[in-house]
Amino acid sequence: MQTFADIFGTSPAVSAEAPGRVNLIGEHTDYNGGFVLPTVIPQRTRVELVPRPDANVRVWSANVEGARRLEQFVLGREAVTRTWLDYVQGVTVALRKRGFHLRGADMRIESTVPIGSGLSSSAALEVSVCRALRAAFDLRLDDVELAMAGKWAENEFVGAPTGIMDQMVVSLGRPGAALFLDTRSLALERIPLPPSIELVVIDSGVRHRLVTGEYATRRAQCEEACR
């Protein structure tokens, strides 16, 4: 496993993490303005970062094989690639659209959240990148605004028509508690989980594709039913 210094020749200035999540109650309700009850899981995504003096962003992922481990782009010239890099690019676009000034950066990403498993690996990536950029550039961004920036990145840049649940619980959830969230008002309450129980997540073996899978179809059906 290559360290940050192995890749970029220096030590990271900041590091940030964000967990994956599992939902307990409320399927296909978050993008319909309903209630959800998710909680965070122990698996996490970690971002190490050092700022650069220019507008170049270099991103290395431990979870990608081959030459695509290291990708790069220029701030202000982000372009959709249909790869994992779009989640990072989407975050930088979202933050700049909100008026935040960014410089380039070198990032190393490593995640134990299973990709394509329905455990919000994308939201964990978006929130951890946001947190790292917030720390590196002293951005005045609270945890709800951070979640909204992640949602914008996923909806508008990546093109996945998700609701706000994933980014909200990844940003504001706490171990040992479920997050009761009204996705219409964003009112929330942390509900302690009984310490005597354990949550078990069963892998169905079906890969989760928010952009090209049945998720978009189900959302359109729900919107038509609501109409």
Side-chain angles (χ1 to χ4, degrees):
M1 185 64 68
Q2 291 178 275
T3 67
F4 192 95
D6 292 333
I7 302 159
F8 299 112
T10 187
S11 299
V14 300
S15 63
E17 295 184 347
R21 70 99 186 98
V22 66
N23 192 30
L24 305 179
I25 302 175
E27 298 305 325
H28 298 284
T29 54
D30 66 328
Y31 53 78
N32 286 302
F35 299 147
V36 289
L37 188 71
T39 187
V40 298
I41 60 176
Q43 290 76 12
R44 306 179 71 82
T45 297
R46 177 180 176 85
V47 175
E48 298 172 320
L49 180 152
V50 66
R52 293 175 57 92
D54 53 26
N56 295 321
V57 180
R58 298 189 296 173
V59 192
W60 187 94
S61 173
N63 299 86
V64 178
E65 297 296 331
R68 305 226 66 165
R69 281 181 183 268
L70 180 63
E71 299 276 14
Q72 54 188 329
F73 63 94
V74 179
L75 293 174
R77 301 180 188 174
E78 293 92 341
V80 174
T81 65
R82 302 298 178 193
T83 70
W84 63 270
L85 184 66
D86 289 350
Y87 295 96
V88 181
Q89 292 190 101
V91 166
T92 61
V93 173
L95 292 176
R96 289 190 296 102
K97 280 184 172 292
R98 283 160 172 74
F100 294 108
H101 175 70
L102 302 177
R103 299 200 318 271
D106 290 334
M107 301 185 206
R108 180 187 183 278
I109 298 171
E110 184 175 355
S111 182
T112 57
V113 183
I115 297 171
S117 62
L119 296 173
S120 294
S121 59
S122 58
L125 175 56
E126 292 151 3
V127 171
S128 58
V129 169
C130 269
R131 285 176 171 172
L133 291 170
R134 178 174 65 180
F137 300 114
D138 195 25
L139 307 181
R140 296 182 179 274
L141 186 72
D142 66 31
D143 289 340
V144 173
E145 294 170 326
L146 190 150
M148 295 299 291
K151 179 180 182 293
W152 188 96
E154 187 142 343
N155 292 170
E156 305 300 329
F157 196 89
V158 176
T162 60
I164 189 59
M165 174 182 70
D166 294 358
Q167 289 82 7
M168 283 291 286
V169 67
V170 168
S171 180
L172 291 111
R174 300 289 183 270
L179 189 75
F180 176 58
L181 175 66
D182 181 341
T183 63
R184 182 170 299 179
S185 67
L186 298 188
L188 59 87
E189 180 182 357
R190 293 188 179 93
I191 310 296
L193 295 173
S196 60
I197 69 168
E198 293 187 14
L199 296 178
V200 177
V201 180
I202 300 173
D203 185 358
S204 67
V206 178
R207 297 304 88 193
H208 195 54
R209 297 177 178 88
L210 291 175
V211 178
T212 60
E214 287 295 308
Y215 184 94
T217 301
R218 190 71 66 245
R219 175 162 188 163
Q221 291 169 337
C222 288
E223 290 174 343
E224 175 62 13
C226 183
R227 187 190 68 80

